[in-house]
Amino acid sequence: MTTADAAPRPQSLMLTFLGDWVLGRDVCVYSGSVIDLFGRAGVGEHATRSTLTRMVGRGLLRRQREGRRMYFGLTERSEAVLRDGEGRIWQTGAVNRNWDGTWTLLGFSLPESWQRQRHDLRSQLTWSGFGPLFSGLWIAQGEVEMGPILTELGLAAHVKVFRAHADAGMDIGAMIEETWELPALAGRYEEFVRRWQPQEHASTGAEEALVARLRLSTEWLRIIRQDPRLPVKHLPDDWPAEQAEKTFRAVHERLSPGARVAAERLLDLVPVR
């Protein structure tokens, strides 16, 4: 099973849903509306309720009671997460054409016994677009701000961060191929196109469009969050990110009118108190 074939996790769907229909509107959404919509997307009531509860516990949602109904709204933390996702989809994009030649280099040396800390650091580095140049030296394109993450991990004293430019004779394309798993990343984009390109001109009812757009955006954000946005001029000529992004935008545009009609009908929203 490929990454694209795997069903999105309920929390990933939830974040997409909140970014689409709650973010920036100063509203809370009725839990029953979420359960109904997620049921249409193949997520059971128990899984949906558990996801809402976990997200409250993690500070990503707040509860607001209206009579006998429970509504859920955003917190500062979830707004920041959703704004980041919104920026990655609509502003940053999947293709890096404006790289200025800057790299961020991050070196670390941790005691052998710190296996958990090493795992946590590597996970955060991968999430932030870094790849392992050598075992204790990681690299990312552009200027990546790692200070808050290192402080949160308690590793600021064990990590050194530099900005750098490659030497004139450096083969950046070869370095990229050695440091990042380009075939796996390209495969995710290609699979996304295979799955969604047939939907560019398909006919879809309103409720079906709402569910399809939820899945589309969740899958797209998952792929681009795994993409270190390497400079396109140093990637293979047939790099599939641009075609995948065109497919995403075309299908999203086609689904949006129906999705808005269905959301208006299905979602019970109340103002934030």
Side-chain angles (χ1 to χ4, degrees):
M1 178 180 290
T2 68
T3 301
D5 287 330
R9 292 168 53 234
Q11 181 168 305
S12 298
L13 285 170
M14 189 71 72
L15 289 169
T16 299
F17 166 76
L18 295 168
D20 279 348
W21 306 110
V22 178
L23 181 65
R25 302 178 69 181
D26 290 324
V27 296
C28 297
V29 60
Y30 172 46
S31 59
S33 297
V34 183
I35 290 166
D36 178 25
L37 173 57
F38 276 48
R40 297 167 190 265
V43 180
E45 179 176 347
H46 176 72
T48 302
R49 289 190 185 277
S50 296
T51 300
L52 290 169
T53 300
R54 282 197 305 271
M55 291 178 71
V56 169
R58 294 179 59 199
L60 292 168
L61 285 176
R62 54 177 289 272
R63 292 186 175 98
Q64 178 172 310
R65 183 173 290 282
E66 300 284 340
R68 300 178 65 181
R69 291 190 164 190
M70 185 64 71
Y71 292 73
F72 290 84
L74 303 181
T75 63
E76 285 189 14
R77 184 179 178 191
S78 57
E79 282 205 24
V81 171
L82 296 175
R83 292 288 181 201
D84 176 70
E86 184 180 59
R88 292 205 187 198
I89 289 176
W90 301 109
Q91 279 84 50
T92 306
V95 183
N96 184 354
R97 298 185 181 86
N98 302 314
W99 181 62
D100 64 1
T102 302
W103 296 95
T104 297
L105 287 171
L106 185 146
F108 63 90
S109 180
L110 304 181
E112 279 298 318
S113 60
W114 288 21
Q115 294 185 5
R116 179 185 60 78
Q117 290 92 330
R118 187 177 289 104
H119 170 78
D120 291 346
L121 176 59
R122 286 173 173 165
S123 295
Q124 288 291 343
L125 290 175
T126 300
W127 176 257
S128 300
F130 284 82
L133 193 59
F134 300 107
S135 61
L137 182 63
W138 289 54
I139 189 170
Q141 67 82 26
E143 296 191 11
V144 183
E145 177 52 58
M146 292 297 294
I149 292 174
L150 297 175
T151 299
E152 185 177 337
L153 293 174
L155 296 176
H158 299 269
V159 176
K160 303 293 185 288
V161 182
F162 302 88
R163 312 296 181 204
H165 285 77
D167 206 50
M170 174 77 177
D171 187 339
I172 294 176
M175 183 273 289
I176 285 174
E177 289 186 6
E178 293 167 1
T179 306
W180 284 274
E181 296 181 6
L182 294 187
L185 180 57
R188 289 192 283 270
Y189 281 123
E190 290 162 354
E191 179 64 20
F192 182 87
V193 172
R194 281 193 292 271
R195 281 172 60 81
W196 288 103
Q197 201 171 49
Q199 297 295 318
E200 286 188 25
H201 305 290
S203 177
T204 309
E207 292 176 12
E208 186 181 357
L210 178 60
V211 172
R213 202 182 88 163
L214 181 65
R215 288 192 171 279
L216 170 80
S217 296
T218 303
E219 289 183 20
W220 180 243
L221 187 57
R222 178 170 57 184
I223 292 171
I224 61 175
R225 280 199 184 281
Q226 295 171 331
D227 185 348
R229 295 195 74 251
L230 299 162
V232 71
K233 68 180 181 179
H234 294 295
L235 291 171
D237 292 338
D238 58 350
W239 190 245
E242 184 170 9
Q243 179 57 55
E245 187 165 62
K246 287 179 179 177
T247 297
F248 165 74
R249 289 177 180 259
V251 177
H252 189 279
E253 182 178 4
R254 186 189 68 75
L255 294 172
S256 288
R260 282 192 287 268
V261 169
E264 186 73 26
R265 183 165 65 238
L266 295 175
L267 302 183
D268 177 0
L269 305 170
V270 297
V272 170
R273 282 194 281 106

